[in-house]
Amino acid sequence: MTLLIVDGASKTFPPAGGFFGGKSIPVQALRDVSLVIEAGQSFGLVGESGSGKTTLARCIVALETLSSGRILFDGVDVATSSRRDNMALRSAIQIVFQDPYSSLDPRMRVMDIVAEPMVIHRRRIRLGPPERRERVVALLERVGLGSQHLQRFPHEFSGGQRQRIAIARALAAEPRLLVLDEPTSALDVSVQAQVLDLLLELQREMELTYLFVSHDLGAIRYACARVAVMQNGSVVESGPTDVVFDTPAEQYTRELIAAVPDLDPDKSLAARAAAAP
Ligand SMILES: Nc1ncnc2c1ncn2[C@@H]1O[C@H](COP(=O)(O)OP(=O)(O)O)[C@@H](O)[C@H]1O
Ligand SMILES: [Mg+2]
């Protein structure tokens, strides 16, 4: 079953202009991007910095709107849905950002951070305060954090722990699609592998669909069945990950792959981390 369709998506940001005379030309961040993600699939999105990956991710979760084209989630346009559909979409599509230091509200306790989606979506996720608390404890435990952390603030945690909290928070909304925008890129190498493995376990357990954005081709190769390669706002190549990585059709993809010193498909990230000093 098809879960997400991106159909001819384009996005232009207006010129920055600004007091210091910044760029005066508009930035075309997405150019006629189309892709299809099947339910239960991990779909990878790769490309150099500035190629438009985050912009696409933000448009999918409706933090930005497209200039033209459409994004359909389970047949519903994420931009023009009715208010009721909109609430359902907002819980069904969750995002985990790259930077766990800025994505969690520093003034909120972990308990409230993870419970918040259940409060926002209380019409759909009908739990009273005691059940909510139970669910927070269960979610934290599932991502590898004990209940002793409930009353702590984000600054009391490491980067990896914060990303686990962000994942628990996303799961609290009972999503079907998780958009992961460089979810491990800001973390230490050893922690990257742990968080990636956690994400893959969760996906299997909860039958989640992932859009996995990363410039880490090793992680994408490890985690994703299909991949799209973006360059300068366009998808230049897409297909099964093995095919794209083993027999890239585009020069750009070949260059991306050549830039990775050790992209061995048989070497999991865990193995890479274990080998790291
Ligand atoms: N809010 C914004 N305003 C203006 N330009 C932006 C904005 N967000 C992103 N861009 C520009 O859009 C392009 C794509 O950026 P982005 O989607 O962040 O790429 P990536 O995630 O692949 O690094 C870049 O040129 C970036 O500078
Ligand atoms: Mg980005």
Side-chain angles (χ1 to χ4, degrees), residues 13-14 16 23 27-30 47-56 64 181-182 213:
F13 289 107
K23 283 183 260 175
V27 177
Q28 202 170 358
L30 297 176
E48 67 196 334
S49 179
S51 57
K53 305 181 300 294
T54 293
T55 302
L56 180 60
E64 301 275 2
D181 189 1
E182 307 265 10
V213 178

Side-chain angles (χ1 to χ4, degrees), residues 1 20 66 96 117 119 137 142 151 153 159 182 188 227-228 233 236:
M1 191 201 98
F20 298 103
L66 294 176
V96 174
V119 177
V137 170
R142 184 58 198 88
Q151 298 302 325
F153 290 96
E182 307 265 10
D188 292 343
V227 66
V236 294

Side-chain angles (χ1 to χ4, degrees), residues 6-273:
V6 177
D7 177 20
S10 295
K11 172 72 181 177
T12 305
F13 289 107
F19 193 72
F20 298 103
K23 283 183 260 175
S24 57
I25 45 166
V27 177
Q28 202 170 358
L30 297 176
R31 302 164 195 260
D32 196 19
V33 169
S34 294
L35 46 90
V36 174
I37 302 180
E38 299 296 321
Q41 194 174 67
S42 268
F43 192 102
L45 193 60
V46 301
E48 67 196 334
S49 179
S51 57
K53 305 181 300 294
T54 293
T55 302
L56 180 60
R58 290 174 59 86
C59 288
I60 290 170
V61 296
L63 288 170
E64 301 275 2
T65 51
L66 294 176
S67 307
S68 62
R70 303 181 304 167
I71 297 172
L72 302 177
F73 177 83
D74 208 3
V76 179
D77 190 320
V78 301
T80 62
S81 59
S82 68
R83 191 179 148 72
R84 182 140 153 258
D85 279 348
N86 197 16
M87 279 310 276
L89 280 175
R90 274 178 49 196
S91 74
I93 312 176
Q94 293 291 310
I95 185 164
V96 174
F97 296 101
Q98 171 171 359
D99 181 7
Y101 291 89
S102 62
S103 62
L104 303 176
D105 188 332
R107 296 156 305 177
M108 284 173 73
R109 295 178 193 274
V110 168
M111 166 77 208
D112 299 318
I113 289 173
V114 177
E116 191 177 51
M118 294 182 252
V119 177
I120 294 172
H121 300 290
R122 59 190 171 276
R123 281 170 186 279
R124 206 173 67 79
I125 304 169
R126 293 171 174 276
L127 296 174
E131 298 147 307
R132 249 179 229 153
R133 188 193 154 88
E134 259 172 50
R135 180 138 165 76
V136 169
V137 170
L139 283 167
L140 283 177
E141 194 162 288
R142 184 58 198 88
V143 300
L145 295 170
S147 57
Q148 73 272 22
H149 295 303
L150 280 179
Q151 298 302 325
R152 299 199 174 134
F153 290 96
H155 75 262
E156 298 176 66
F157 295 91
S158 68
Q161 287 175 320
R162 287 183 202 215
Q163 206 58 313
R164 290 171 192 272
I165 295 166
I167 292 165
R169 183 182 194 283
L171 294 176
E174 300 181 0
R176 293 168 66 198
L177 174 68
L178 217 51
V179 177
L180 304 160
D181 189 1
E182 307 265 10
T184 62
S185 302
L187 308 177
D188 292 343
V189 175
S190 59
V191 181
Q192 282 182 13
Q194 294 165 8
V195 171
L196 184 59
D197 280 329
L198 171 66
L199 285 167
L200 293 182
E201 284 169 24
L202 292 170
Q203 188 201 16
R204 279 191 292 271
E205 261 171 53
M206 303 185 183
E207 298 176 350
L208 293 163
T209 305
Y210 283 173
L211 174 63
F212 193 142
V213 178
S214 183
H215 64 253
D216 182 344
L217 301 193
I220 295 283
R221 173 140 213 174
Y222 180 50
C224 300
R226 297 186 75 83
V227 66
V229 182
M230 285 190 71
Q231 178 188 22
N232 197 15
S234 301
V235 170
V236 294
E237 178 162 5
S238 67
T241 309
D242 290 348
V243 174
V244 171
F245 284 12
D246 290 340
T247 53
E250 293 294 322
Q251 181 60 23
Y252 177 73
T253 312
R254 282 196 284 275
E255 284 167 15
L256 273 186
I257 290 169
V260 182
D262 184 17
L263 189 61
D264 183 339
D266 298 328
K267 242 188 196 176
S268 73
L269 269 201
R272 288 201 303 178

